[in-house]
Amino acid sequence: MRQEALKRLPKKPLWVTSLLAIQPATHSLKTIKMSSYEENDSKLMRKVKENPFVPLGMAGFFAIVGYRLMKMKSRGDTKMSVHLIHMRVAAQGFVVGAITVGVLYSMYRDYIVKPREEQKAAEQK
């Protein structure tokens, strides 16, 4: 009886069998295409066009950090930790502001500009 039960067990480990059941191999590497990328534009440039405030926030962050690091020599009797905290708060404030403006711009584009364009297209038909 025990030998019959052992014969019914799968030859592969259980975790391999369950992975194969979840994700069966349906294609080979030769059939995968890179058609999701545009030929002339890189993925970064496409993302920058979709949301231009992300690179602006990054540039502002690095500009503030660079300026405050250069200004560190002339901080006077201010403690290093206080100076670094002020630098962090200024840089984070700029990034949060850029993200907020970016979200407002996206909302304006999605909820005001697109409905107007759709309404004009419907009127022309």
Side-chain angles (χ1 to χ4, degrees):
M1 176 123 167
R2 184 174 172 158
Q3 289 178 348
E4 291 174 10
L6 289 175
K7 287 180 184 178
R8 284 184 277 161
L9 289 176
K11 301 287 184 204
K12 297 177 184 174
L14 186 60
W15 64 272
V16 173
T17 308
S18 63
L19 283 178
L20 291 175
I22 293 171
Q23 298 176 345
T26 58
H27 59 275
S28 66
L29 292 176
K30 292 181 181 179
T31 61
I32 296 175
K33 296 181 181 177
M34 298 292 286
S35 62
S36 63
Y37 292 103
E38 292 84 15
E39 292 179 10
N40 295 331
D41 292 340
S42 69
K43 187 176 180 180
L44 176 67
M45 292 308 294
R46 184 171 43 91
K47 291 288 186 181
V48 167
K49 288 177 185 175
E50 289 175 7
N51 195 356
F53 291 97
V54 171
L56 178 70
M58 290 171 57
F61 174 83
F62 288 118
I64 290 172
V65 169
Y67 172 73
R68 295 292 243 167
L69 286 175
M70 287 181 5
K71 194 178 170 187
M72 190 180 292
K73 291 179 183 176
S74 63
R75 70 179 189 269
D77 60 346
T78 306
K79 289 184 178 181
M80 173 79 81
S81 62
V82 173
H83 184 76
L84 292 175
I85 288 171
H86 288 172
M87 178 177 59
R88 180 185 63 87
V89 168
Q92 282 181 336
F94 189 88
V95 170
V96 168
I99 290 172
T100 303
V101 171
V103 167
L104 291 174
Y105 174 72
S106 296
M107 288 175 61
Y108 170 76
R109 189 177 58 204
D110 291 344
Y111 295 111
I112 294 177
V113 174
K114 280 186 182 178
R116 285 182 188 168
E117 291 174 357
E118 290 172 359
Q119 186 178 16
K120 287 180 184 178
E123 289 175 0
Q124 291 177 354
K125 290 183 180 181

